[in-house]
Amino acid sequence: MRPSRADVRRFLIYRTPASDALRFIATICFLTAALCASCAAQPETVRSFPAVRVSPPPVIDGVLDDACWAQVPYQEGFTDEQTGQPMADDTRVWICYDSENIYVAFHAFDSEPHRIRAVETRREAGFVGEDRLRLRLDTFNSKTSDYENRFTINALGTQNTRLAGGRANRQEWEGVWKSAARIVDDGWTAEMAIPWDILIRPETGGNPVTMGLNFERYIARLDVECYWSNIGPRELPDLNGEWVGVVPPPAKPLRPLSVLAYTLGGWDDGGGTLRSGLDVRYQLSAFQAAVFSVNPDFSNVEGAVTSIDFSYSEKLPDERRAFFLEGSGYFTGALTGFNPFRSVRIPQFDVGARLFGRFRGGVDLGIMRAENIGDRRDTVARVEKQFSPFSSAVLQYVERDEGDRVNRVAVAAGSLRRGDWRMWGGVARSEDAGDDGDYSNIAIEWSSPRYTSSLALVCVSPQFRPRNGFINHRDQWGAQWETSYTLEPRTGLLRRYDLSVSAYSYSRYHGGFFREGWSAQGAVSFRAGHRVSASWTQGRFEERRDAFFSAGWSWPELDRYHALALSVAWGTRAGKDYRLVRPSVTWRFFDRLTVSASSEQVRVGTSARQDILSVSYQFAPDRYAGGRLVRSGGDTNWYLSLSRSGYGGLEYFLILGDPNSRSFTDRLLLKVVKAY
């Protein structure tokens, strides 16, 4: 039985706190759209760079004295992402190539070079609050973010890589590229050399093509993101620039086969243990790759600790296992409140394989199979067709076979964007032990550089069960609306404002009230580094009422190694007295020792507490010692580790304890990984 016309009429006409909030937000969105339509558009440019082939190549040392840079015309004229205005401290860029690599050089002018911030030395760690330079390269010129490769360095030359389609943080699989940077009297300079063979790219038959291109710079002391081709605050990829007349070399992977073999031994569960396994990656072509895993070891992968704060829906941790991270972009995709596949649902397995890549006609394909022999089999297949930079369609199938129970989910979805408007939606059907269920969703969003408003309609039957995915609630139909406003002034005391209002109203699938509510949030970031936020939430979930206030403070906001934070909340949740206190601190000592501590104390009728202490000491960019202690619900777990990893070659992990157990485990293991 589906919602009747009377149910729909009741939802649209009857006055409830949520429907009143929806009407109010619709009015605000309409007025906002009218106001923005009457305003001048922010200046946005799409620029082009001519392709130049060079010989000999530059030496990657951060010094721009190579002969090739004199042969290549440079460009400058970077503009502020938010305002579109030229930067006072400009950036000069060069790009060229040969049959082996793409070469890039930057000269980032800075009137206060002594304030250039560069701290991070670990590859792939990210550069929060640090000066950085980035190359964005879309080899297919797809004008979408999915096929954008991003190569980022800080002023120490430390690398961060994001390859199209998603790659695990394994240098043997990701590939090696070179970079160097140095601070000079008028700013800082940097060079990159990126091998063609680590890029998924089109086969051109020796003909010149146009690739998507952009250069990005973040100036830490100003907290300003600026671009060579300004893509605006929404970072619209169709506004990226172009690299014109490139003739990429024929695809010929230097090392199509990469094998990582591990051996693990030590003391575990009251006795000795010794086991081994393989991770294999095979580059089928410049467009496709396959990953195989035999008897993988996930026991030493530190899982994320989920919050103990109250929630009406399930909470899942983030994925950190290399097998599932490799090519992850070909397997993911979420609709409103529903994601067909979350890899954290799959536990340890015996044999696994993944095939992913781009095929002819702009078709992306991802296929995965993981099997725990005699127990469980998990299968995922996803195909996406990109019709244009603004439209695409997806088909996905997910199966979990546990012998006596088989769960299947099939999904069809699509998205379309025209100017400031975007629409997406989809339908899904599940089969679980002979019980069928349905999901449907359609949503529309309007956005400008400052405002975003969206409306989503969702209908989910009680029998819909995606056991290898995630859905926030079943047995519901209704709508949710959200509008937000963001402003980043370039002068004055305040650095950023964020305001948003949201409302929702859902009934049970067969009729009857389910949940409704609204919330308002605001946050202000100060130029001195403080961030203050506050929110009010009010609603009802079945017969349980919510009405609570939340507030938070952090400082300094843009320093990942020196940070203090405090979150508090109080009021009524699920009809019970609600209190939350969550302090945290992260501090680095001597540029090597980092200590993080957090505590979460929650009361919703009864009290619960979780404390986490993490310590790490970095001997070198690839060598570190660390540990974590977690106390939750009366259980205490801790572990200590010593490792060398992240830079290829021989890796080792020595670990005392189990990172993911609820209490301390008497275990001491040494794991050695060798690349072939």
Side-chain angles (χ1 to χ4, degrees):
M1 177 179 176
R2 296 183 179 276
S4 66
R5 291 184 179 179
D7 290 330
V8 176
R9 183 174 182 274
R10 187 182 306 112
F11 173 75
L12 295 175
I13 298 176
Y14 280 20
R15 297 182 62 84
T16 67
S19 62
D20 286 343
L22 290 173
R23 291 187 183 92
F24 172 74
I25 294 170
T27 303
I28 294 299
C29 290
F30 175 80
L31 294 175
T32 299
L35 175 64
C36 292
S38 66
C39 296
Q42 175 180 315
E44 294 170 331
T45 59
V46 176
R47 305 179 65 181
S48 64
F49 219 121
V52 178
R53 194 179 182 103
V54 296
S55 181
V59 176
I60 306 303
D61 56 7
V63 181
L64 309 185
D65 59 356
D66 302 278
C68 69
W69 301 131
Q71 305 169 20
V72 178
Y74 66 80
Q75 292 196 23
E76 51 191 1
F78 277 52
T79 54
D80 187 322
E81 174 193 56
Q82 294 290 324
T83 67
Q85 298 303 307
M87 297 297 301
D89 288 326
D90 205 353
T91 308
R92 189 171 291 175
V93 292
W94 296 257
I95 185 169
C96 55
Y97 72 104
D98 61 16
S99 60
E100 301 296 328
N101 299 293
I102 298 169
Y103 305 101
V104 182
F106 299 84
H107 192 148
F109 296 99
D110 199 314
S111 55
E112 301 181 57
H114 61 282
R115 295 182 62 187
I116 294 173
R117 179 171 172 77
V119 177
E120 189 60 71
T121 59
R122 291 185 302 138
R123 172 180 167 269
E124 310 299 347
F127 309 121
V128 178
E130 298 187 44
D131 286 83
R132 60 182 181 267
L133 295 165
R134 175 177 293 161
L135 166 69
R136 294 178 176 232
L137 183 67
D138 179 355
T139 57
F140 291 91
N141 199 25
S142 67
K143 303 295 185 183
T144 68
S145 59
D146 291 343
Y147 272 87
E148 191 174 87
N149 302 277
R150 299 177 186 177
F151 301 91
T152 311
I153 60 172
N154 67 0
L156 298 176
T158 308
Q159 299 177 351
N160 183 279
T161 316
R162 185 266 204 189
L163 295 178
R167 297 283 180 88
N169 190 12
R170 304 297 296 255
Q171 186 154 304
E172 290 89 352
W173 291 357
E174 185 178 80
V176 178
W177 58 284
K178 296 179 181 179
S179 65
R182 60 181 62 202
I183 298 175
V184 295
D185 291 341
D186 58 354
W188 60 295
T189 58
E191 291 177 302
M192 300 177 179
I194 300 159
W196 283 107
D197 292 315
I198 72 172
L199 298 171
I200 295 176
R201 62 188 190 275
E203 188 68 66
T204 68
N207 298 314
V209 295
T210 295
M211 297 184 174
L213 178 71
N214 213 340
F215 304 97
E216 177 185 349
R217 178 187 177 187
Y218 176 74
I219 305 175
R221 64 178 172 83
L222 301 177
D223 186 31
V224 170
E225 204 90 43
C226 53
Y227 288 90
W228 167 70
S229 185
N230 198 334
I231 58 179
R234 291 175 290 170
E235 298 196 349
L236 299 176
D238 50 293
L239 297 178
N240 278 322
E242 295 180 336
W243 194 19
V244 182
V246 188
V247 183
K252 50 176 183 57
L254 297 178
R255 291 190 63 220
L257 181 65
S258 173
V259 179
L260 300 176
Y262 84 86
T263 300
L264 182 147
W267 180 267
D268 187 15
D269 196 23
T273 182
L274 180 66
R275 62 181 185 269
S276 60
L278 292 174
D279 288 322
V280 180
R281 187 182 194 276
Y282 190 83
Q283 190 74 37
L284 299 169
S285 72
F287 324 101
Q288 305 104 19
V291 176
F292 307 91
S293 190
V294 179
N295 193 27
D297 172 51
F298 298 146
S299 61
N300 291 336
V301 179
E302 181 186 79
V305 180
T306 57
S307 167
I308 62 170
D309 192 12
F310 178 82
S311 174
Y312 286 114
S313 62
E314 183 184 17
K315 292 180 286 188
L316 292 178
D318 294 331
E319 181 61 80
R320 298 184 177 182
R321 297 171 291 180
F323 174 82
F324 293 109
L325 294 177
E326 182 72 2
S328 59
Y330 294 94
F331 297 88
T332 58
L335 294 161
T336 302
F338 167 51
N339 193 329
F341 175 62
R342 288 293 304 273
S343 58
V344 292
R345 298 286 195 193
I346 300 178
Q348 181 77 34
F349 58 83
D350 297 322
V351 181
R354 292 160 76 90
L355 169 67
F356 53 88
R358 168 157 283 202
F359 293 77
R360 293 185 180 275
V363 174
D364 298 337
L365 177 66
I367 301 175
M368 190 209 80
R369 174 84 167 191
E371 185 162 343
N372 196 358
I373 297 173
D375 183 23
R376 171 173 167 170
R377 292 154 295 282
D378 296 277
T379 306
V380 181
R382 182 180 184 271
V383 59
E384 179 173 1
K385 166 65 177 177
Q386 181 185 336
F387 299 101
S388 75
F390 315 104
S391 61
S392 65
V394 173
L395 296 175
Q396 187 165 5
Y397 175 78
V398 182
E399 180 180 286
R400 174 168 160 176
D401 183 352
E402 298 175 279
D404 59 341
R405 177 190 292 273
V406 179
N407 178 262
R408 300 183 178 94
V409 177
V411 181
S415 65
L416 175 68
R417 182 168 72 84
R418 288 291 182 269
D420 294 334
W421 293 90
R422 184 169 74 97
M423 178 178 289
W424 69 95
V427 294
R429 187 169 183 82
S430 72
E431 178 186 323
D432 189 79
D435 201 3
D436 297 342
D438 299 286
Y439 164 96
S440 57
N441 158 235
I442 187 168
I444 188 168
E445 177 185 86
W446 173 85
S447 61
S448 75
R450 303 280 178 266
Y451 298 88
T452 299
S453 294
S454 64
L455 172 67
L457 307 176
V458 180
C459 183
V460 190
S461 71
Q463 298 82 16
F464 185 71
R465 290 184 176 86
R467 294 191 182 273
N468 268 1
F470 171 85
I471 189 162
N472 59 358
H473 296 289
R474 296 181 295 128
D475 189 12
Q476 65 170 0
W477 68 274
Q480 61 188 58
W481 199 320
E482 181 175 357
T483 187
S484 62
Y485 170 79
T486 300
L487 177 64
E488 294 187 25
R490 292 309 186 212
T491 59
L493 180 66
L494 302 180
R495 184 180 61 81
R496 180 184 172 106
Y497 308 82
D498 292 288
L499 302 171
S500 66
V501 181
S502 61
Y504 61 89
S505 181
Y506 288 90
S507 298
R508 287 297 186 186
Y509 186 79
H510 295 295
F513 175 80
F514 179 33
R515 60 190 180 102
E516 66 178 11
W518 67 277
S519 64
Q521 300 91 26
V524 176
S525 297
F526 293 83
R527 222 164 282 283
H530 299 272
R531 179 175 174 84
V532 179
S533 61
S535 66
W536 172 258
T537 301
Q538 184 168 324
R540 187 159 62 99
F541 188 95
E542 296 177 329
E543 299 305 318
R544 293 167 285 182
R545 295 188 176 276
D546 296 322
F548 60 92
F549 178 80
S550 303
W553 165 84
S554 63
W555 176 89
E557 184 183 2
L558 299 175
D559 188 341
R560 63 178 297 177
Y561 288 120
H562 303 89
L564 304 173
L566 175 65
S567 299
V568 296
W570 64 91
T572 301
R573 202 156 188 188
K576 300 177 182 179
D577 185 41
Y578 172 60
R579 297 289 187 273
L580 168 69
V581 179
R582 186 189 294 128
S584 66
V585 58
T586 298
W587 213 260
R588 170 172 275 195
F589 303 92
F590 319 116
D591 292 330
R592 291 184 179 273
L593 176 65
T594 304
V595 180
S596 297
S598 66
S599 179
E600 192 172 26
Q601 302 171 47
V602 181
R603 185 177 71 190
V604 186
T606 59
S607 296
R609 177 170 176 169
Q610 178 172 271
D611 301 303
I612 304 173
L613 174 66
S614 299
V615 179
S616 66
Y617 186 86
Q618 186 175 345
F619 300 100
D622 64 339
R623 294 176 176 86
Y624 45 92
R628 184 176 71 182
L629 183 148
V630 179
R631 180 173 176 81
S632 181
D635 295 318
T636 301
N637 184 41
W638 60 272
Y639 81 92
L640 297 173
S641 67
L642 179 67
S643 60
R644 179 202 180 275
S645 65
Y647 287 81
L650 185 69
E651 299 185 344
Y652 61 80
F653 306 84
L654 177 65
I655 187 165
L656 172 63
D658 182 349
N660 304 304
S661 175
R662 288 193 58 86
S663 58
F664 176 73
T665 302
D666 185 14
R667 188 180 76 157
L668 178 64
L669 297 177
L670 173 65
K671 178 180 177 180
V672 179
V673 181
K674 173 65 175 175
Y676 297 95

